[in-house]
Amino acid sequence: NCFIFCCTNGHYKYNPSIFNSWMKILGKVDNSILFLSADSELVKNNLRKEALARNIKPDRLIFGEKVSYTMYIERLNLMDLFLDTYPFNGMSSSCDILWSGLPILTLTGSTMTSRGGASFLQSVGLESLITYSAKDYEKLAIDLGNNPNKLKKLRQKLLDKSKLDLFNIKKYTSNIENSYQKIYAESQVGLTPNHI
């Protein structure tokens, strides 16, 4: 009977800025918790101390142990909303998260490592979960945490994976082959390299 935010990105991607946002979110969504990955007691204790310093009870941080891949995907099904890290978004883990049916809220920036989440969300038609400032990231997380029915509609989009570009390997293969052919054709006529 609570709202479960989570982040299973490597804990080395947690930084004071994103952690501040997470604590603000927990402070504005009653009866919510944050499920995190952390594989050392030192990390867990430090995160608990940092939560307390921000007036959040440390027991609202739940730490998951490493489990098998199958169990990892099953465990994601228990969560309500994935909070992406910034400026280093989840990359390959984002595919797993979306495959499990869990929506991701991301904050995007100008670097490749801060745009991965946006790219994945665009490929599954969830552009509404892409934010461009910490304020908007927090505001949207708080809104979804306090209005779980909005989140249910977003989760519905992840149910039929055959309709999602992210999981359409034939379309991906065709697109990348076409891009390679275009690059080759342009190089053969002496054009300078260009974005494809």
Side-chain angles (χ1 to χ4, degrees):
N1 294 322
C2 68
F3 190 95
I4 306 174
F5 293 105
C6 78
C7 183
T8 57
N9 292 348
H11 64 262
Y12 57 87
K13 293 185 178 183
Y14 307 166
N15 60 47
S17 176
I18 201 68
F19 194 79
N20 283 339
S21 290
W22 292 346
M23 296 304 100
K24 287 178 188 175
I25 292 164
L26 288 181
K28 297 283 187 177
V29 180
D30 293 337
N31 203 27
S32 64
I33 61 171
L34 177 59
F35 181 93
L36 297 168
S37 289
D39 56 9
S40 91
E41 288 305 313
L42 178 64
V43 171
K44 293 175 190 178
N45 289 335
N46 284 340
L47 291 173
R48 288 181 184 118
K49 285 178 194 172
E50 292 299 322
L52 191 57
R54 290 162 177 82
N55 298 313
I56 298 296
K57 291 181 179 178
D59 63 357
R60 292 181 69 189
L61 302 184
I62 308 297
F63 298 98
E65 300 299 320
K66 198 165 191 158
V67 294
S68 70
Y69 180 77
T70 304
M71 189 59 118
Y72 168 69
I73 295 297
E74 287 298 317
R75 188 165 62 186
L76 288 172
N77 283 312
L78 302 173
M79 310 299 163
D80 293 300
L81 180 63
F82 189 93
L83 299 175
D84 205 358
T85 46
Y86 180 87
F88 302 100
N89 293 166
M91 292 298 185
S92 59
S93 61
S94 296
C95 284
D96 294 336
I97 291 150
L98 293 169
W99 179 261
S100 77
L102 180 62
I104 298 172
L105 173 63
T106 196
L107 174 56
T108 193
S110 59
T111 63
M112 194 253 336
T113 57
S114 67
R115 300 182 71 77
S119 179
F120 287 117
L121 288 169
Q122 287 171 346
S123 71
V124 295
L126 290 177
E127 292 88 351
S128 64
L129 293 174
I130 301 168
T131 62
Y132 298 90
S133 71
K135 184 178 178 182
D136 288 342
Y137 176 89
E138 294 161 13
K139 183 180 175 184
L140 185 53
I142 291 164
D143 182 44
L144 293 170
N146 287 320
N147 299 287
N149 285 336
K150 286 184 180 180
L151 202 52
K152 283 182 185 176
K153 290 177 184 176
L154 296 174
R155 280 189 102 128
Q156 291 293 88
K157 290 187 173 188
L158 296 173
L159 290 180
D160 188 355
K161 292 175 184 48
S162 67
K163 293 182 180 175
L164 304 176
D165 285 349
L166 180 61
F167 305 114
N168 186 336
I169 196 66
K170 287 182 181 179
K171 183 175 181 181
Y172 176 84
T173 302
S174 175
N175 286 344
I176 200 164
E177 287 173 347
N178 289 337
S179 295
Y180 288 150
Q181 289 173 355
K182 196 173 193 179
I183 291 167
Y184 180 76
E186 288 183 5
S187 73
Q188 293 303 299
V189 294
L191 296 175
T192 57
N194 190 13
H195 291 286
I196 303 294

